[in-house]
C-alpha cells in the first residue's frame, strides 16, 4: 500500500513537464496567462487545475513496455454503478458485446527527434511538432541559446536545417536535403519518447512505441491506448463480433505541454489535425441502430469524434481541432473509453474526468496507485464504461 501522506511529504505528487533550455525536465508547474480556446458546456463553479492533482510515486511511471503488448493490467470503471474492478487487458474481448464498435486512431509516429549542431558548435535537439511540407516543419528546439532567423543547424549526415522564423514557442525550419523530410527522419531520427521516460529511445521503441494498426504517418507522439493491442487480441475481438473503425489524428508534442494557468477557462489548447471519414460515420450509425456501443480507443479518438459532432449529429470532418474537454462537457459520440493513466493536472485527466466524474476518477487513480498500476504511455489501461455493466457481468 502507498502512504499518500508520505507521498505528499516526499514531494512526488504532481509531476509537471516543461521544456527548459537544453531539453525537457520534470519541474514545478509554471504560471502564465494564455489566450483562451475552449469547448465546454461548463456553467457552474470554475474548476482549477489544482482540482485534478493526485499523488503519484515516481517508480510507478513505466519506463519501458512489458514484453507482450496485451499483458497489461486494466482497471474497469462502471460509471453508472460508481464501481471499479481490477482486470487484465486480455479480458477485453469478453467484456465487449457483439456489435460493439471499437474506434482506433491509425496515425503513425514519425521518428521525430533529431540531433545537430549550430554553426557555433553548440548541440541542438530538434523535436518535430508538425511536418508542413516536403522539406519544412514546425519544431521545438532544445538548445542553450535560441538561434536567429537564417541560422543553420548541421545534422548527422552533413545536411543542414535553416531557421525560417519563430511562432511563439515553435520554430519553422527548412531542411536542405535532396531527400524528403519524411525519408530524412527515417534515416536520422529517433522515436520521440515522452519526457517522463528517462532513457534514450532504442531499436525496440521503433516497434513498441507504434500501434500494430498504424498506417498514416504524421504523429510525433503515440496514441498510447492502442499500444496494448496485438494481433491475437484483435483476432479474438473479431471472432467475438466486435467491429473496428478508424480515425486519424496526428498527435503533436503539445500533448505533453502542462496547463500553465490555474483557471481552466483560460487554458489555450494546442491544435492537431484530424480526419473522421464518411465510412466511420456509417459504421457508428449502424452500430447504434443495432444496439451496439461506440468505444473510443484513446483520448485522441474522443477529441476527433467530438470535433466531428454538431448538435448531437456526427458528420465527416477533416481539419484542425483545439477542442478542450473538461467536466461539464456533454459527450455525444461515445459510450465508453479505453485509455491509459494520465498525468496529474493534465488536459487528458480532465477529459476522462468529464466522462466519468472528477471525484470518481480521482478515487480510481488513488486505487490504481495503491494497487501499483503502471502509469503513462507504456503503462496499464483503464476501461471506462459509461452505460453500465460489461457483457460478462450480465450473465
Amino acid at each position: 500500500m502507498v502512504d499518500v501522506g508520505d507521498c505528499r511529504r516526499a514531494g512526488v505528487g504532481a509531476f509537471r513537464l516543461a521544456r527548459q533550455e537544453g531539453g525537457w525536465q520534470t519541474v514545478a508547474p509554471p504560471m502564465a496567462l494564455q489566450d483562451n480556446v475552449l469547448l465546454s458546456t461548463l456553467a457552474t463553479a470554475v474548476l482549477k487545475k489544482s482540482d485534478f492533482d493526485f499523488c503519484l510515486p515516481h517508480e510507478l511511471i513505466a519506463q519501458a513496455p512489458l514484453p507482450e503488448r496485451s499483458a497489461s493490467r486494466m482497471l474497469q470503471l462502471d460509471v453508472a454503478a460508481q464501481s471499479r474492478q481490477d482486470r487484465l487487458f486480455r479480458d477485453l474481448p469478453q467484456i465487449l458485446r457483439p456489435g460493439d464498435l471499437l474506434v482506433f486512431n491509425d496515425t503513425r509516429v514519425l521518428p521525430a527527434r533529431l540531433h545537430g549542431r549550430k554553426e557555433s558548435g553548440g548541440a541542438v535537439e530538434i523535436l518535430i511538432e508538425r511536418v508542413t511540407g516536403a522539406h519544412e516543419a514546425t519544431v521545438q528546439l532544445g538548445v542553450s541559446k535560441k538561434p536567429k532567423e537564417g541560422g543553420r543547424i548541421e545534422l548527422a549526415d552533413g545536411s543542414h536545417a535553416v531557421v525560417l522564423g519563430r511562432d511563439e514557442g515553435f520554430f519553422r525550419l527548412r531542411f536542405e536535403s535532396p531527400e524528403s523530410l519524411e525519408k530524412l527522419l527515417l534515416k536520422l531520427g529517433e522515436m520521440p519518447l515522452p519526457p517522463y521516460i528517462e532513457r534514450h529511445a532504442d531499436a525496440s521503441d521503433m516497434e513498441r512505441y507504434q500501434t500494430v494498426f498504424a498506417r498514416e504517418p504524421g504523429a510525433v507522439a503515440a496514441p498510447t491506448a492502442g499500444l496494448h493491442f496485438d494481433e491475437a487480441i484483435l483476432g479474438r475481438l473479431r471472432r467475438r463480433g466486435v467491429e473496428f473503425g478508424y480515425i486519424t489524428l496526428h498527435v503533436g508534442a503539445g500533448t505533453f505541454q502542462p496547463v500553465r494557468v490555474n483557471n481552466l477557462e483560460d487554458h489555450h489548447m494546442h491544435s492537431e489535425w484530424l480526419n473522421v471519414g464518411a465510412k466511420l460515420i456509417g459504421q457508428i450509425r449502424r452500430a447504434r441502430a443495432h444496439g451496439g456501443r461506440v468505444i473510443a480507443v484513446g483520448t485522441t479518438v474522443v477529441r476527433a469524434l467530438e470535433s466531428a459532432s454538431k448538435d448531437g449529429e456526427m458528420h465527416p470532418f477533416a481539419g484542425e481541432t483545439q477542442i478542450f474537454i473538461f467536466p461539464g462537457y456533454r459527450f455525444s459520440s461515445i459510450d465508453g473509453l479505453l485509455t491509459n493513466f494520465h498525468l496529474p493536472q493534465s488536459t487528458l485527466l480532465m477529459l476522462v474526468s468529464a466522462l466519468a466524474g472528477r471525484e470518481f476518477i480521482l478515487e480510481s487513480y488513488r486505487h490504481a496507485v495503491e494497487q501499483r498500476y503502471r502509469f503513462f504511455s507504456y503503462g496499464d489501461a483503464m476501461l471506462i464504461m459509461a452505460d453500465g455493466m460489461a457483457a460478462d457481468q450480465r450473465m
Side-chain angles (χ1 to χ4, degrees):
M1 299 287 286
V2 174
D3 187 321
V4 174
D6 288 346
C7 185
R8 287 285 186 202
R9 289 189 291 275
V12 294
F15 286 100
R16 303 267 44 85
L17 298 171
R19 201 171 175 289
Q20 304 296 299
E21 299 294 334
W24 290 91
Q25 297 180 18
T26 304
V27 298
M31 293 293 291
L33 292 178
Q34 298 184 11
D35 294 334
N36 176 49
V37 177
L38 175 69
L39 194 56
S40 176
T41 56
L42 186 67
T44 55
V46 175
L47 286 171
K48 307 293 185 182
K49 73 173 181 179
S50 54
D51 293 327
F52 298 89
D53 197 6
F54 66 91
C55 175
L56 178 62
H58 184 269
E59 66 270 17
L60 296 187
I61 300 175
Q63 295 297 308
L66 295 174
E68 296 181 40
R69 288 180 182 267
S70 60
S72 301
R73 299 165 69 193
M74 183 172 70
L75 182 59
Q76 182 184 335
L77 306 188
D78 182 332
V79 177
Q82 293 287 283
S83 64
R84 67 184 67 88
Q85 185 176 1
D86 296 307
R87 307 196 67 149
L88 300 175
F89 180 76
R90 289 171 176 158
D91 294 338
L92 185 64
Q94 69 196 61
I95 294 172
L96 299 184
R97 309 172 198 155
D100 283 345
L101 175 65
L102 279 175
V103 184
F104 301 98
N105 184 358
D106 66 2
T107 189
R108 187 168 187 83
V109 182
L110 298 170
R113 179 170 282 118
L114 295 167
H115 298 278
R117 291 198 173 274
K118 295 189 296 182
E119 295 169 295
S120 63
V124 183
E125 180 184 280
I126 302 171
L127 180 61
I128 305 294
E129 166 68 18
R130 181 177 300 196
V131 175
T132 56
H135 298 276
E136 295 186 5
T138 300
V139 308
Q140 299 179 33
L141 294 180
V143 63
S144 59
K145 185 177 181 181
K146 301 301 182 186
K148 296 180 180 180
E149 184 174 338
R152 294 168 64 83
I153 302 169
E154 183 176 358
L155 303 177
D157 67 344
S159 64
H160 290 81
V162 179
V163 178
L164 301 179
R166 187 172 184 177
D167 296 320
E168 297 182 347
F170 298 98
F171 290 83
R172 290 179 288 111
L173 298 187
R174 182 178 67 249
F175 291 82
E176 297 181 334
S177 171
E179 303 173 294
S180 69
L181 178 53
E182 186 175 332
K183 289 183 178 179
L184 186 69
L185 291 174
L186 291 173
K187 182 174 71 173
L188 300 179
E190 298 176 359
M191 288 302 268
L193 295 182
Y196 44 74
I197 294 180
E198 299 168 344
R199 62 176 176 85
H200 293 294
D202 59 32
S204 68
D205 295 304
M206 292 293 287
E207 175 192 358
R208 295 301 302 274
Y209 195 61
Q210 196 83 265
T211 65
V212 297
F213 43 80
R215 57 191 179 192
E216 298 292 340
V220 300
T224 55
L227 297 180
H228 302 283
F229 290 86
D230 55 25
E231 293 298 341
I233 287 288
L234 292 173
R236 289 176 58 204
L237 287 162
R238 290 189 188 97
R239 292 190 293 274
R240 174 72 168 166
V242 175
E243 301 291 331
F244 300 160
Y246 300 90
I247 61 95
T248 302
L249 186 147
H250 293 321
V251 190
T255 192
F256 302 119
Q257 290 292 323
V259 176
R260 300 181 182 274
V261 293
N262 199 33
N263 187 338
L264 299 191
E265 294 183 354
D266 295 329
H267 176 62
H268 179 87
M269 197 73 176
H270 61 284
S271 179
E272 292 172 314
W273 184 88
L274 67 92
N275 181 33
V276 177
K279 179 180 178 181
L280 176 63
I281 301 300
Q283 287 181 285
I284 290 173
R285 289 173 179 166
R286 287 193 297 274
R288 290 259 169 84
H290 293 90
R293 300 170 298 182
V294 177
I295 311 297
V297 179
T299 57
T300 60
V301 173
V302 177
R303 296 183 68 236
L305 295 181
E306 291 297 316
S307 296
S309 300
K310 184 177 180 180
D311 299 326
E313 291 289 329
M314 293 188 61
H315 305 276
F317 174 73
E320 302 290 325
T321 185
Q322 290 179 287
I323 188 171
F324 178 25
I325 297 174
F326 61 84
Y329 183 86
R330 295 180 181 176
F331 293 86
S332 62
S333 66
I334 63 169
D335 304 297
L337 168 64
L338 178 74
T339 187
N340 280 21
F341 291 92
H342 304 295
L343 276 73
Q345 300 186 6
S346 65
T347 59
L348 303 183
L349 181 61
M350 295 167 191
L351 185 153
V352 298
S353 296
L355 182 63
R358 184 182 69 90
E359 292 185 3
F360 185 39
I361 284 291
L362 292 178
E363 288 172 2
S364 298
Y365 269 57
R366 286 192 288 271
H367 171 85
V369 168
E370 291 172 353
Q371 297 301 314
R372 310 296 289 177
Y373 277 75
R374 302 166 76 246
F375 277 69
F376 305 162
S377 296
Y378 277 146
D380 293 318
M382 172 181 281
L383 178 63
I384 303 173
M385 306 296 290
D387 78 327
M389 291 188 295
D392 64 351
Q393 294 172 309
R394 296 174 182 272
M395 299 175 182

